Amino acid sequence: MDHHSRHPAIADLKARARRRIPHFVWEYLDSATGDERTLARNRSRLDQVRFLPSILHGEFEPDLRTTLLGRDYTVPFGIAPVGMSGLIWPGAEQMLARTAARHGMPYTLSTVASQLPEDVGGHAGDNGWFQIYPPRDRDIRLDILRRAREAGFHTLVLTVDVPVASRRERQVRGGLTQPPRLTPRLAMQAAQCPAWLNGIRKTGMPRLRLMESYADTKGSMPSNQHIGYLLRTSPDWSYLRALRDEWDGPLIVKGVMNPDDCERLAKDGADAIWISNHAGRQFDAAPATIEQLPAIRAATELPVIMDSGVETGLDVLRALALGADFVMLGRAWHYGLGALGEAGAAHVMDILAKDMAANMGQIGARDLSDLSGKIVEK
Ligand SMILES: Cc1cc2nc3c(=O)[nH]c(=O)nc-3n(C[C@H](O)[C@H](O)[C@H](O)COP(=O)(O)O)c2cc1C
């Protein structure tokens, strides 16, 4: 049966994925920090953005194509970095990289993915971005950059909204450990999810393989503490400048929420600004990203990317209309994988594109440059 008749919305994929992913993993994927107010705010503020419907504009086929940082994409959205993606759905990194390559979207591999850049890059084709959490040690940083580049990742994303680890209370209650271990309680949850468990039997229990490849070389701490030590530095402006010198491709800074930071980011070498509140996973008093978007758009000439809470093609249009050049999604792709395996990620892409086209028909927007005048309220 056609996926659209059974799962017309990402919400349908989410409901199915929830049944097929063990509870402790689900809590990792789907929780935010604190009382999850930022998560809720992302949704409620997106809903406030409305467009005026248009009449008598005749027939047309909406054009969803766009260009970002000198590259053409078939749609103005892509795949945000998600750590331990392969725990959420076994093999996720390769599956998402292939989906991105097939459909002309960017795929961002996280530093804390469960797969190595060498093992994912070939699947992403020319669509691979690499997200870096800043390693403390310069040699390690240089080596990671080299490995990412050699594996074919051409665009670097520096995430700056994790200056400290956040407290994800729901995730803690769920019982996930680092590295993940199936305690008897968690093994019982896993046993109820045979497709997930079969996948894990094939891939092995996911680990932070990139960082583990450095853990052995330095000192004698237990490897999980050591990875935290290697990674958990809070970068400053000089770190950004160093990274700029060390990376010769496009550099995007992810996790920007304050328009006042934009000028300095441009001066210190950022090529694009990625507005994100990490889907509410870091700070429960943060504004919604869509709230910050107009001011950040006004503050910079750089391309602006937005994520956090995008759930429909209409949400993508909302962000573009308020000045974003590109939109990213994190959790939605994993709902697709959890529901339908690799085909589910392609289905997420299709749902978003069809929903964009249907709503552009209502608004009378022929292409993406035709959206900003159509906003009625925000
Ligand atoms: C389970 C999970 C893990 C994440 N891991 C990372 C990461 O390793 N690096 C990063 O920059 N952002 C990470 N993020 C944030 C996403 O890149 C993205 O900003 C966010 O998910 C977008 O919101 P959405 O899930 O509502 O689309 C993670 C998000 C989730 C849900």
Side-chain angles (χ1 to χ4, degrees):
M1 195 189 278
D2 172 33
H3 290 316
H4 280 285
S5 49
R6 293 192 63 173
H7 309 289
I10 291 171
D12 301 304
L13 298 172
K14 179 173 179 178
R16 184 170 156 83
R18 186 174 198 151
R19 296 193 298 273
R20 286 161 49 91
I21 294 175
H23 179 71
F24 74 99
V25 177
W26 181 261
E27 295 296 84
Y28 165 61
L29 169 63
D30 206 48
S31 62
T33 193
D35 295 325
E36 308 196 339
R37 303 279 189 239
T38 299
L39 181 68
R41 199 152 36 243
N42 285 333
R43 180 68 261 148
S44 61
R45 289 300 180 127
L46 278 162
D47 284 334
Q48 283 175 24
V49 181
R50 283 175 261 166
F51 296 90
L52 212 51
S54 149
I55 61 169
L56 295 173
H57 50 247
E59 253 178 57
F60 62 87
E61 191 67 45
D63 184 356
L64 306 187
R65 288 171 305 168
T66 195
T67 301
L68 181 71
L69 296 168
R71 287 178 186 265
D72 296 330
Y73 294 104
T74 54
V75 286
F77 56 82
I79 306 176
V82 165
M84 292 296 274
S85 218
L87 175 70
I88 299 164
W89 198 252
E93 286 92 354
Q94 274 109 343
M95 291 177 182
L96 293 177
R98 279 195 293 269
T99 304
R102 270 189 213 120
H103 296 278
M105 302 180 286
Y107 168 69
T108 321
L109 181 69
S110 166
T111 306
V112 290
S114 53
Q115 295 290 330
L116 299 171
E118 298 80 324
D119 297 334
V120 179
H123 296 270
D126 206 21
N127 291 31
W129 297 4
F130 183 79
Q131 176 262 327
I132 191 155
Y133 276 133
R136 253 173 226 282
D137 183 309
R138 180 161 183 270
D139 291 343
I140 293 178
R141 178 171 86 211
L142 288 174
D143 199 55
I144 290 178
L145 295 178
R146 178 191 61 75
R147 289 170 69 175
R149 198 181 299 106
E150 286 178 11
F153 295 88
H154 49 68
T155 296
L156 185 68
V157 176
L158 171 67
T159 298
V160 295
D161 61 0
V162 187
V164 292
S166 70
R167 309 183 71 239
R168 307 220 180 109
E169 295 85 342
R170 216 172 107 194
Q171 178 184 310
V172 173
R173 278 178 220 119
L176 177 65
T177 55
Q178 187 53 253
R181 252 192 343 270
L182 284 184
T183 60
R185 174 166 78 97
L186 305 190
M188 273 180 35
Q189 294 172 8
Q192 289 162 20
C193 301
W196 181 90
L197 196 56
N198 278 337
I200 292 291
R201 288 208 178 100
K202 288 186 198 128
T203 61
M205 204 56 176
R207 310 178 66 87
L208 304 177
R209 289 186 56 209
L210 179 61
M211 292 320 292
E212 281 191 357
S213 64
Y214 300 103
D216 301 341
T217 59
K218 308 251 166 181
S220 56
M221 276 184 222
S223 78
N224 56 342
Q225 275 175 33
H226 203 137
I227 286 168
Y229 171 79
L230 292 174
L231 220 48
R232 284 266 174 254
T233 167
S234 190
D236 57 14
W237 291 94
S238 67
Y239 196 104
L240 172 62
R241 286 192 298 274
L243 203 58
R244 173 68 288 175
D245 289 343
E246 292 157 5
W247 181 261
D248 54 10
L251 173 60
I252 303 173
V253 178
K254 173 174 186 277
V256 179
M257 291 292 283
N258 186 345
D260 295 345
D261 291 328
C262 291
E263 195 181 328
R264 184 147 183 209
L265 286 168
K267 190 162 74 52
D268 285 359
D271 295 308
I273 305 278
W274 184 331
I275 307 174
S276 177
N277 60 28
H278 226 101
R281 294 165 78 82
Q282 283 303 118
F283 182 43
D284 211 19
T289 50
I290 197 87
E291 272 179 89
Q292 298 311 95
L293 172 56
I296 290 181
R297 173 70 290 164
T300 184
E301 303 270 298
L302 295 179
V304 172
I305 301 165
M306 193 201 93
D307 76 15
S308 297
V310 172
E311 294 176 313
T312 61
L314 181 56
D315 288 342
V316 175
L317 295 176
R318 288 169 159 139
L320 298 177
L322 288 178
D325 298 283
F326 213 84
V327 174
M328 298 293 267
L329 301 92
R331 288 167 301 158
W333 306 106
H334 295 78
Y335 300 150
L337 293 178
L340 301 170
E342 187 163 345
H347 187 46
V348 167
M349 140 100 199
D350 211 33
I351 289 174
L352 292 170
K354 284 197 164 63
D355 195 45
M356 283 185 71
N359 286 297
M360 286 169 80
Q362 292 296 324
I363 302 167
R366 288 176 154 69
D367 61 41
L368 305 179
S369 65
D370 205 11
L371 288 165
S372 57
K374 319 279 187 182
I375 290 274
V376 70
E377 205 174 315
K378 57 177 192 286

